[in-house]
Amino acid sequence: MSLRILWITAALFLPAMMFGQNGNATISGIVQDSHQAAVVGARISIRNIDNNATRELIVSADGEFTVTNLTPGQYDLRVAHDGFKTHVQTGIMLELGQVLRTEVMMHVGSVTDSVTVSTEASLINTEVGAIKGDVILQQEINDMPLDGRDFTDLAFMVSGVVPMAQGGQGSGLNVNGARSDSTNYSVDGFNNRNPRGAAAQVRPNVGAIQEFKMEVAGFSAETGRMAGGNINMVLRSGTNQFHGDVFEYIRNDIFDARSFFDQRKQSLRRNQFGATLHGPVIIPKVLNGRDRTFFMFSWESFREVLGQSQIGNVPTLLQREGDLSKSLVPVTGAPLYLKDPLATGSCTATVKTACFPGNKIPASRFHPIALKLLQYYPLPNRPDPSNNYISQAKDFDVWNSFVWKIDHRFRERDTMSFRAQV
């Protein structure tokens, strides 16, 4: 009954829900005895240290085994068979998208005895081609200062990734010289690329990201459908222990200097704050979710007051009266010759048969609509004749982002995830 209440609550309060297998790391290997013969029937058990999720299987007839869809994290591997000592391998670190291989050597003895191997060096990947790129772990994500906390900026830490050229369209980055609209995005195995703008469709909070992987070359066909790179992310999941963090990033004009063109220092008040909490779902006297049901909640808010200035050109007092005798061509600085549209002839430096006399427009020729529009133009406030006016205004930006996720294991091998972002 308690599980029914949980899923009904999730259905009511989780808009845009998605479910599927979470994580895409893989570990494979072979089990052999001291004579390099396959140990047929050996039992494999791999356990996630954080949430005790355990996957079990029997090796194949040739001693091979493969465990897929493993959430990135730390694992223990246990191999047991009658007549052999139990093999225990600890400290196996799986990163996002890794396919790791290990060779298990079984020794004759009692199954109650065990041989423990501590994994310190990285395991060798012999299953897939070499992928060029880098994985940025959750601790690095938290410690790295990101202006605006845009997760795509993490990609610039990888060689071969540069910011998109000014005025370009697409994802905001170029990978190994490819177009900026040729980058693919994935979140928890789901495609996250906007088909129109080529940027990320869903932009999860930085605090909700467990691992971030930027692949620039050598990725497999299942993710390499674009000519550029592939950005793969996995969201955090809850563990058997409660963990959380609270943060706030502040920028303020009290620490800034006045820019060159501004008459005074522009306003800047930026506050970016939020929190993340994850752990087991515990409802007293109803549900104890340890080893079974977990949650993750991430909240991020943004408040900014940003002063901006822009220079331009507005009519001077003489120009408002129709006197353009002192006006020059803005680009070249050459004298301006004002042609009368009602006159016939030319209006150039040598032939002035169709020019307004003295480059002055008579008041009788002023159009009433133009006079009305002229009232909305301010007077010049800068001495520069080409850019004689500077305007200053404040831009206000406010947004809130919430990401929540629920993981539940129905059986030892099956995990369902619900995730949503608002």
Side-chain angles (χ1 to χ4, degrees):
M1 186 67 180
S2 60
L3 284 179
R4 291 184 59 189
I5 297 175
L6 176 62
W7 299 131
I8 292 174
T9 303
L12 290 176
F13 294 99
L14 296 185
M17 291 188 300
M18 300 181 293
F19 60 91
Q21 295 293 335
N22 179 21
N24 60 347
T26 299
I27 183 170
S28 64
I30 185 171
V31 181
Q32 298 174 321
D33 60 17
S34 57
H35 300 288
Q36 296 186 344
V39 181
V40 182
R43 299 180 297 277
I44 304 293
S45 175
I46 183 166
R47 181 177 67 93
N48 187 307
I49 301 299
D50 292 326
N51 57 21
N52 279 332
T54 304
R55 301 280 296 277
E56 296 180 348
L57 70 158
I58 305 297
V59 301
S60 62
D62 54 2
E64 297 278 351
F65 68 91
T66 300
V67 184
T68 61
N69 288 322
L70 295 173
T71 303
Q74 185 174 2
Y75 287 83
D76 287 346
L77 174 68
R78 179 181 294 268
V79 184
H81 193 279
D82 294 339
F84 293 90
K85 297 179 181 180
T86 300
H87 177 93
V88 179
Q89 190 169 347
T90 62
I92 301 176
M93 292 299 302
L94 296 180
E95 294 182 346
L96 178 61
Q98 280 187 308
V99 181
L100 302 182
R101 183 172 180 84
T102 181
E103 296 182 358
V104 178
M105 181 69 68
M106 302 293 287
H107 299 276
V108 176
S110 172
V111 73
T112 58
D113 298 330
S114 64
V115 177
T116 302
V117 179
S118 178
T119 303
E120 297 181 356
S122 298
L123 300 180
I124 299 175
N125 171 18
T126 60
E127 303 301 295
V128 296
I131 298 176
K132 294 183 179 179
D134 196 10
V135 175
I136 302 176
L137 303 179
Q138 195 272 328
Q139 186 62 44
E140 296 175 303
I141 295 173
N142 277 349
D143 294 343
M144 195 175 302
L146 296 176
D147 185 15
R149 291 179 62 81
D150 186 350
F151 73 91
T152 59
D153 290 343
L154 296 169
F156 299 130
M157 304 300 295
V158 180
S159 177
V161 183
V162 297
M164 178 182 65
Q166 185 175 5
Q169 299 291 326
S171 62
L173 50 90
N174 297 92
V175 181
N176 286 342
R179 290 163 52 106
S180 57
D181 60 357
S182 296
T183 303
N184 196 40
Y185 295 85
S186 299
V187 177
D188 282 353
F190 292 93
N191 179 49
N192 189 37
R193 181 178 180 272
N194 188 317
R196 296 192 63 182
Q201 181 73 39
V202 177
R203 310 185 71 84
N205 302 338
V206 173
I209 299 176
Q210 175 69 26
E211 286 188 6
F212 176 96
K213 185 174 186 180
M214 178 73 241
E215 299 172 339
V216 299
F219 35 80
S220 62
E222 61 184 335
T223 57
R225 64 190 186 93
M226 306 302 299
N230 180 58
I231 293 179
N232 195 2
M233 294 169 289
V234 60
L235 299 182
R236 299 171 91 174
S237 296
T239 64
N240 280 329
Q241 303 295 326
F242 288 100
H243 296 279
D245 57 77
V246 179
F247 71 90
E248 181 172 10
Y249 294 91
I250 300 174
R251 289 190 60 186
N252 195 289
D253 58 65
I254 192 174
F255 305 108
D256 295 344
R258 178 183 64 85
S259 64
F260 180 81
F261 292 102
D262 291 335
Q263 298 174 341
R264 64 180 184 275
K265 186 189 298 186
Q266 292 295 304
S267 299
L268 175 59
R269 308 283 193 277
R270 178 186 292 178
N271 297 82
Q272 200 161 5
F273 51 93
T276 302
L277 179 65
H278 55 94
V281 176
I282 296 180
I283 304 176
K285 299 181 180 181
V286 177
L287 174 66
N288 184 356
R290 286 188 171 86
D291 295 343
R292 185 67 65 177
T293 307
F294 308 93
F295 78 94
M296 185 278 295
F297 175 77
S298 174
W299 154 56
E300 188 164 327
S301 293
F302 185 85
R303 306 288 185 271
E304 183 180 63
V305 179
L306 178 63
Q308 296 179 320
S309 61
Q310 183 177 2
I311 59 175
N313 194 282
V314 295
T316 64
L317 285 174
L318 289 178
Q319 291 171 346
R320 291 167 183 264
E321 297 173 356
D323 186 354
L324 279 75
S325 59
K326 300 183 182 300
S327 301
L328 303 174
V329 177
V331 178
T332 64
L336 178 68
Y337 300 99
L338 192 61
K339 188 178 185 301
D340 185 350
L342 301 182
T344 58
S346 300
C347 182
T348 63
T350 56
V351 181
K352 302 180 180 179
T353 57
C355 293
F356 278 108
N359 273 354
K360 297 180 180 180
I361 304 174
S364 60
R365 301 284 295 275
F366 290 175
H367 197 284
I369 296 179
L371 292 176
K372 290 289 186 180
L373 291 175
L374 198 59
Q375 298 176 7
Y376 292 94
Y377 281 84
L379 293 173
N381 58 8
R382 298 183 76 241
D384 185 352
S386 298
N387 296 288
N388 60 8
Y389 185 78
I390 181 170
S391 61
Q392 297 174 334
K394 295 180 180 179
D395 180 40
F396 298 88
D397 194 4
V398 176
W399 54 259
N400 301 283
S401 177
F402 302 93
V403 180
W404 56 90
K405 176 182 177 183
I406 294 179
D407 296 279
H408 179 74
R409 291 168 46 224
F410 290 95
R411 296 181 301 174
E412 290 299 324
R413 294 179 55 88
D414 299 332
T415 300
M416 177 171 286
S417 296
F418 294 90
R419 33 180 102 65
Q421 179 172 4
V422 177

